[in-house]
Amino acid sequence: MVRPAPRPPAPVLESARPITPSGIPASTQLTGKRTLQNRSTSGSQTPFSKRLTLIRVCVLAFCALLAVALFGFSVHDRTELESAAETRLTLLADVMAENIDGQLAQIEHQLQGARRIVMSADAGEIGRPVARDLLLDWCRGDPACMDLLVVNAAGEITDWTGPGTPPMVADREYVAHHLNTPGSTTFVGIPQLSRVHGGRWFFAVSQADRTEDGRIRRIYVSVRDLFHSFNYGRIVRDTPGASFAVVSTRGEVYVREPNREKHMGKVIPDVDRVLDEEPGAQRVSRIESRIDGIERLIVTRRLGRYPLYVAATQELEQILSPWRYRAAAMVLFWTALAAVSLYVARRLGEDARLQDYLASIDSLTGTLNRRALMVEARRQEDRRASAGGLGLLMLDVDHFKRINDGFGYAVGDEILQHVAATLRATCRSSDILGRYGGEEFLMLLPGADDRRVARVAEKLRAAIEAIPSLEFAGRGNYPDTLTASVGATVLRSGEGSLDTAISRADLALNQAKNGGRNRVVVLASDDRG
């Protein structure tokens, strides 16, 4: 079927199209970009999409591995900080426990000395006034000693270092314990308020002197000022968030630094949560303190011979404060590095996209080059059944060699650029355009039938014929006429291969040239001319 070229008025086309700095018309450059976008969203993997996927996988793997490494370091850092704090508190608790054991042993030694003094007075070796002065001097030489008492089996004070009439102490635990507990020897009393010394807090250590049959002969008592006992405030003040306490196994607080006056005599509920039952044993706990409500790392050490334990503690917030600063710094570092990595990945992706674009584009016309065009053609061949057919237009600029010889290759190149821009502006966005070779272009029309192929081919022919009047009017050294011949066909499902269709379109193009040029020839699958 041959369509001779009519001579209608030139169709109205875009006015002069801007030329990019690279020499490719701006509208023409859209051809390759749109096609590449279609390729990137298709089911198959293009070299570009493979490179882009590899870049993304590498960047994500790097960010993930860095996050895992930083998280692992952060966990290790926190563990090391807690372990160091636990070691420090354990050492502190051990030293304090040994020191307090020594202080209580010294008090026992003091009571044994008081017993010898009283026994010497009983034997008439020294007078009662001398004995009292010795006890008084001994007590005054000890800052924590409030009084030394000697109590008889009836619970009455017979000798003491205090002034005036001695108080009744039979009801005090440090005396009542011995009176009511057969065989008892040494007792450490709970914190109490003094009846003699203006309500000051004290605790007492008492020893029972018994006869051979177990009856109480005397009870010797050292009354200890809690304000001057177990002084470890300096050590606690040198450790931020630290505290130290001496507590009975029933929870009565003897001393708690800092602010010892505030905590004397308090009772800690559920003290067994942090206390081991075995004398001399140690326990480490991470719980909220029952005294100040702050979460603490607590190391407790139970004394071996006395119903007391020491607790060295530190606030977890203070222990973990350096870790939190470092963790925040690592998060910021990871975020910054991830952002840089993503930026680099984006730039690499853009470079890969540009490389794929440049590898697929004809540098002169901005359309697909022959290699990329054939890749798209093969893809469209596979889709022809669902698309309803694939139209092919083979277009050749007439007498192009004469144009190159007569006006120069620069003019010939510019004409090819304008032809490509005109073809792109005339076809649909779904159509695919590429430079097939020299001055030949191949256009693929997915879903086209014979009527549309003929209509589009005629439209393109007329648009190219109008280029001189639109683009070169009034400009010297340009041809006054420009025409093109078009061969067209349709590749339907079950009607042969792409190569057969291209050969048929090329045959139609040759018929158009042999028929006088500037015309359209459409060949059906069963039409061989």
Side-chain angles (χ1 to χ4, degrees):
M1 179 173 60
V2 179
R3 295 179 180 272
R7 294 291 178 179
V12 179
L13 299 175
E14 297 177 288
S15 59
R17 299 170 182 83
I19 304 297
T20 65
S22 64
I24 301 174
S27 61
T28 305
Q29 285 186 325
L30 296 175
T31 304
K33 292 182 179 179
R34 286 173 180 169
T35 303
L36 288 179
Q37 290 173 356
N38 292 336
R39 289 170 61 191
S40 64
T41 56
S42 64
S44 60
Q45 286 265 308
T46 66
F48 160 69
S49 62
K50 291 179 180 179
R51 291 196 300 273
L52 188 59
T53 300
L54 180 61
I55 290 171
R56 288 172 176 170
V57 169
C58 290
V59 170
L60 290 177
F62 170 75
C63 292
L65 288 174
L66 181 62
V68 170
L70 291 177
F71 178 77
F73 174 79
S74 181
V75 171
H76 175 74
D77 186 31
R78 174 171 179 153
T79 302
E80 286 294 308
L81 279 174
E82 291 186 352
S83 177
E86 181 179 327
T87 301
R88 185 169 58 251
L89 293 175
T90 299
L91 178 62
L92 183 61
D94 288 345
V95 170
M96 291 180 175
E98 291 177 5
N99 187 271
I100 292 172
D101 260 328
Q103 291 185 44
L104 293 175
Q106 187 176 2
I107 294 172
E108 287 192 61
H109 179 72
Q110 183 186 60
L111 293 177
Q112 291 170 5
R115 174 174 175 271
R116 287 194 295 270
I117 291 173
V118 172
M119 289 178 66
S120 296
D122 289 345
E125 297 175 2
I126 59 174
R128 290 289 177 183
V130 175
R132 186 180 185 281
D133 289 341
L134 288 173
L135 293 176
L136 186 60
D137 290 343
W138 204 344
C139 188
R140 286 174 178 174
D142 183 355
C145 180
M146 293 177 70
D147 279 312
L148 287 174
L149 312 179
V150 181
V151 182
N152 62 22
E156 300 170 346
I157 297 176
T158 57
D159 295 283
W160 76 318
T161 57
T165 304
M168 295 297 297
V169 293
D171 61 329
R172 290 295 198 181
E173 190 179 19
Y174 55 83
V175 172
H177 174 79
H178 295 294
L179 297 177
N180 300 324
T181 307
S184 63
T185 54
T186 303
F187 178 79
V188 179
I190 63 174
Q192 300 178 78
L193 290 172
S194 175
R195 297 170 182 170
V196 176
H197 295 278
R200 290 164 62 184
W201 282 98
F202 76 95
F203 76 100
V205 179
S206 59
Q207 278 188 343
D209 178 22
R210 297 179 180 272
T211 61
E212 292 183 358
D213 58 0
R215 291 179 299 151
I216 289 180
R217 184 181 293 117
R218 288 187 181 90
I219 300 172
Y220 298 91
V221 182
S222 178
V223 180
R224 315 297 297 179
D225 188 343
L226 271 179
F227 188 78
H228 294 288
S229 300
F230 315 133
N231 279 321
Y232 302 100
R234 181 178 178 182
I235 298 177
V236 171
R237 286 191 295 270
D238 291 342
T239 306
S243 70
F244 165 76
V246 180
V247 184
S248 74
T249 54
R250 294 183 299 182
E252 294 98 352
V253 178
Y254 288 72
V255 173
R256 200 268 189 180
E257 296 284 4
N259 304 319
R260 65 163 52 200
E261 300 92 341
K262 178 180 177 182
H263 302 291
M264 287 179 181
K266 286 187 175 181
V267 178
I268 302 175
D270 301 326
V271 72
D272 56 330
R273 295 175 60 200
V274 297
L275 183 62
D276 200 290
E277 295 181 357
E278 184 178 351
Q282 174 185 293
R283 178 181 290 186
V284 179
S285 308
R286 291 170 179 81
I287 62 172
E288 182 179 295
S289 172
R290 292 302 183 91
I291 294 179
D292 56 17
I294 297 174
E295 189 174 9
R296 292 177 174 273
L297 176 64
I298 302 176
V299 178
T300 58
R301 171 75 178 275
R302 186 162 179 169
L303 301 188
R305 296 178 54 239
Y306 306 98
L308 302 176
Y309 73 91
V310 297
T313 82
Q314 189 174 10
E315 297 176 17
L316 278 177
E317 179 65 31
Q318 288 290 339
I319 296 173
L320 299 179
S321 179
W323 170 77
R324 288 194 172 93
Y325 284 121
R326 288 194 286 267
M330 284 188 289
V331 169
L332 292 176
F333 171 74
W334 181 87
T335 302
L337 198 56
V340 171
S341 301
L342 292 176
Y343 172 76
V344 171
R346 179 183 176 187
R347 293 302 302 268
L348 290 175
E350 290 174 354
D351 291 344
R353 184 180 291 107
L354 179 60
Q355 291 173 9
D356 194 66
Y357 171 73
L358 294 176
S360 304
I361 296 301
D362 176 66
S363 60
L364 176 64
T365 62
T367 63
L368 293 178
N369 58 29
R370 181 164 181 164
R371 180 187 63 82
L373 179 63
M374 294 310 297
V375 170
E376 289 299 322
R378 298 294 180 192
R379 185 176 290 110
Q380 295 300 326
E381 178 186 18
D382 297 336
R383 297 177 178 174
R384 58 180 166 165
S386 60
L390 176 63
L392 291 87
L393 302 181
M394 187 78 76
L395 183 145
D396 182 84
V397 179
D398 294 334
H399 303 298
F400 188 71
K401 185 176 184 305
R402 292 181 187 177
I403 295 174
N404 278 336
D405 293 342
F407 296 93
Y409 287 99
V411 172
D413 289 346
E414 186 175 345
I415 286 175
L416 288 179
Q417 291 173 352
H418 284 291
V419 168
T422 300
L423 295 177
R424 180 68 269 173
T426 307
C427 67
R428 302 177 306 179
S429 61
S430 60
D431 298 337
I432 299 166
L433 174 65
R435 187 179 180 187
Y436 195 68
E439 66 274 16
E440 289 187 9
F441 294 87
L442 176 63
M443 182 178 289
L444 307 175
L445 289 74
D449 55 13
D450 288 339
R451 293 181 58 187
R452 180 171 183 274
V453 165
R455 185 171 64 253
V456 172
E458 179 58 33
K459 185 178 180 181
L460 296 178
R461 185 207 61 77
I464 292 172
E465 190 176 17
I467 287 177
S469 62
L470 293 176
E471 305 292 350
F472 307 143
R475 299 171 64 182
N477 199 35
Y478 283 91
D480 295 329
T481 60
L482 182 66
T483 61
S485 301
V486 184
T489 189
V490 176
L491 175 63
R492 297 180 178 84
S493 178
E495 292 185 353
S497 65
L498 175 66
D499 294 333
T500 302
I502 291 176
S503 298
R504 193 162 60 243
D506 189 56
L507 177 61
L509 175 61
N510 289 331
Q511 291 182 10
K513 288 181 178 181
N514 296 332
R517 292 186 170 83
N518 192 25
R519 65 187 60 227
V520 174
V521 174
V522 180
L523 288 181
S525 59
D526 56 351
D527 189 353
R528 297 292 177 178

